[in-house]
Amino acid sequence: MDQEEISGVALEFCLRLARAQALVVRRLDTVLGGHHGLSFGDFVLLHHLSKAPGGRLRRVDLAEKLGLTASGVTRTLLPLEKTGYVARQADARDARVSYAAITPAGHEIFDHALFTSKETCNELLRHAAPDQLEAMSAALGYVAGMSA
């Protein structure tokens, strides 16, 4: 395969990726909203917090993981703070640093939403073989800067 063919394949992959991403987000928004009152964006945020040491991340680090600006993460956190799924925490040693922490209620809703999300993703990817999923996941990890 020459460079022009490789470029064409790469472009086709990116176009299909964009279409698939839009479909996945729309489907998960619908399912999570209907069952748990969460958007897919809320779910992703809770996922990052649930995986973080101590269930908390600096707001700037959370913004980085979500691909948002500092003000974007603040707007995203606000409804989750109001519902009690996330709490704001100050750093005892540095008043300039602020953390977002998942609460017990946040863990509970996340665990339920995780089950729903897994079912939905299994349905969306039901025709893909496990080795295909691993290869696609690895390729997407490289695109997202999360190599193997």
Side-chain angles (χ1 to χ4, degrees), residues 30-81:
T30 299
V31 171
L32 291 170
H35 286 72
H36 309 288
L38 295 174
S39 70
F40 181 58
D42 295 339
F43 173 80
V44 172
L45 187 147
L46 292 172
H47 170 76
H48 286 300
L49 291 178
S50 74
K51 298 292 183 201
R56 70 181 198 161
L57 285 168
R58 291 183 322 158
R59 294 165 81 88
V60 66
D61 294 332
L62 185 57
E64 167 94 14
K65 288 183 179 296
L66 297 172
L68 296 174
T69 63
S71 62
V73 82
T74 297
R75 283 191 304 277
T76 303
L77 283 168
L78 195 58
L80 294 171
E81 289 171 353

Side-chain angles (χ1 to χ4, degrees), residues 77-96:
L77 283 168
L78 195 58
L80 294 171
E81 289 171 353
K82 286 182 178 179
T83 56
Y85 298 149
V86 174
R88 236 178 248 229
Q89 291 183 348
D91 188 315
R93 294 180 296 190
D94 188 345
R96 297 168 297 175

